[in-house]
Amino acid sequence: MSILHRAHFTISAAQIDQLPPPGPPEVCFVGRSNAGKSSAINVLANQRKLAFSSKTPGRTRLINMFGIPDPLSPGDFLGHLVDLPGYGYAAVARHEKQDWAEILGDYLATRPSIAGIVLLIDIRRGVTDLDMRLADWIAPTGKPVLALLTKADKLPYGQRIKAVAEVRRQLREIGALHALPFSSTDRIGLPEATECIENWISPKVVP
């Protein structure tokens, strides 16, 4: 069993200072609203309703943390999965977008326990201007990035490969970037994504 399957909800926070102190490794999930972020977290954790997916894109405004218990030390965590607010939905007021941008930017720039960043990109849209803005926040951190090109089941295999190559080209400034076609419904890319995230959290633990 993957260690990610042990994840459970620990806390929601509207601001960075409401989070627990930095500690075990954190893998954060970030991306444009409606890119499939919550669905990806749920399938990686093998749980149907771990991460909340709002019916109205852009309405999930909180930072949600999901702890992965340490089986050798009850009460402690091996690490956390962190669901950051979706960004950029057109129906959200401008001042709300700015608030979310500040939360995202502050978390990515100042949180020392980040072990890796999962960037969700809709494979049918490709890299948008908003994704490039996220990349601009991510690049200075030097953290490794896994780009999951979600909804890959919507494209044939050849187009998926071309989309991955284009994302790598456009996001090359990030540095340590690994990109995968991914589908929560068809479980495309799930083993590779799971292995990458597990290694960020606890390379010495064998699930």
Side-chain angles (χ1 to χ4, degrees), residues 90-167:
V92 176
R94 180 173 295 181
H95 72 277
E96 293 183 2
K97 289 183 184 180
Q98 184 61 38
D99 289 345
W100 297 352
E102 290 178 0
I103 291 172
L104 288 170
D106 287 350
Y107 176 85
L108 292 170
T110 65
R111 190 75 173 173
S113 45
I114 296 175
I117 299 167
V118 181
L119 174 59
L120 287 295
I121 296 173
D122 188 326
I123 197 169
R124 301 167 300 176
R125 291 177 175 265
V127 177
T128 66
D129 290 343
L130 291 169
D131 295 322
M132 291 304 299
R133 184 176 300 182
L134 286 170
D136 289 341
W137 286 329
I138 292 169
T141 70
K143 301 294 184 182
V145 176
L146 171 63
L148 293 185
L149 279 64
T150 61
K151 308 180 185 179
D153 56 295
K154 306 297 183 182
L155 295 182
Y157 179 79
Q159 290 185 34
R160 294 176 203 162
I161 300 306
K162 290 180 181 178
V164 168
E166 181 62 14
V167 166

